Amino acid sequence: MTARPRLQCKVLDERLRDYLPHYATDGSAGMDLRALLDEPLTLNPGDTHLVRTGLAIYIEDPGLAGMILPRSGLGHKHGIVLGNLVGLIDADYQGELMISVWNRGQSPFTLAPFERLAQYVLVPVVQAELDLVDQFSDSTRGSGGFGSTGRH
Ligand SMILES: O=c1ccn([C@H]2C[C@H](O)[C@@H](COP(=O)(O)OP(=O)(O)OP(=O)(O)O)O2)c(=O)[nH]1
Ligand SMILES: [Mg+2]
């Protein structure tokens, strides 16, 4: 296994010191992020709320990005997912990580202070240059999309 990249992390609220993100198991793909809340937050069905994490993580390397993904238990059992579906964190972002929490379910859900509500996944990124052309060489698919290969 290659060495893990090191990311600079600022703790913006001292209460987070006891709750720093980490990989729960050797094989975990993500580190859980917690809700920085002063009091419980009730989300009614359909509500979206921007929740602080109290942390800033500066990735710096443009060959990496962060992704904020829902936790499957919260999403499946309680309908608590992300208002932006997926959060994409740029390598040059130095601000606080924010989580858009959306109750897409049918019942109110109360988020407790410092509850784990989403996960942060570091992913490789390749930036491209666009070469402008008038014609592409033929491919098998051509311009067929949106179900053009059928359903089964
Ligand atoms: O769930 C998220 C998504 C984004 N961000 C931060 C980090 C990211 O680098 C920045 C910008 O995100 P994005 O580019 O997706 O949003 P935008 O609406 O295009 O904003 P901008 O104009 O700042 O790029 O906001 C978060 O903290 N949480
Ligand atoms: Mg953007």
Side-chain angles (χ1 to χ4, degrees), residues 145-152:
F146 296 88
S148 67
T149 63
R151 286 188 60 188
H152 299 291

Side-chain angles (χ1 to χ4, degrees), residues 2 24-25 59 62 84 96 107 109 144:
T2 51
T25 66
I59 298 172
N84 47 354
E96 181 168 1
S107 325
F109 182 85

Side-chain angles (χ1 to χ4, degrees), residues 123-136:
V123 294
V125 163
V126 178
Q127 289 182 333
E129 298 289 342
L130 296 183
D131 289 332
L132 298 184
V133 299
D134 293 323
Q135 289 284 326
F136 294 133

Side-chain angles (χ1 to χ4, degrees), residues 85-152:
L85 304 186
V86 171
L88 181 60
I89 312 301
D90 299 288
D92 54 358
Y93 181 68
Q94 298 184 319
E96 181 168 1
L97 292 177
M98 302 295 291
I99 301 176
S100 171
V101 196
W102 172 34
N103 182 354
R104 61 150 188 82
Q106 313 286 312
S107 325
F109 182 85
T110 300
L111 201 57
F114 306 105
E115 179 166 355
R116 291 174 293 146
L117 83 169
Q119 47 192 330
Y120 180 92
V121 179
L122 192 67
V123 294
V125 163
V126 178
Q127 289 182 333
E129 298 289 342
L130 296 183
D131 289 332
L132 298 184
V133 299
D134 293 323
Q135 289 284 326
F136 294 133
S137 55
D138 286 343
S139 72
T140 306
R141 171 178 290 275
S143 50
F146 296 88
S148 67
T149 63
R151 286 188 60 188
H152 299 291

Side-chain angles (χ1 to χ4, degrees), residues 17-100:
R17 291 243 182 233
D18 296 335
Y19 294 117
L20 291 178
H22 63 276
Y23 296 102
T25 66
D26 286 348
S28 294
M31 307 188 239
D32 286 340
L33 297 173
R34 294 176 182 267
L36 175 56
L37 294 170
D38 294 328
E39 54 192 33
L41 172 71
T42 297
L43 292 154
N44 287 314
D47 282 359
T48 305
H49 194 97
L50 199 57
V51 174
R52 295 186 58 188
T53 64
L55 297 174
I57 295 179
Y58 177 31
I59 298 172
E60 196 171 5
D61 177 354
L64 299 171
M67 296 187 86
I68 298 181
L69 302 176
R71 294 185 67 207
S72 49
L74 280 182
H76 180 72
K77 292 183 200 150
H78 304 287
I80 298 299
V81 294
L82 304 177
N84 47 354
L85 304 186
V86 171
L88 181 60
I89 312 301
D90 299 288
D92 54 358
Y93 181 68
Q94 298 184 319
E96 181 168 1
L97 292 177
M98 302 295 291
I99 301 176
S100 171

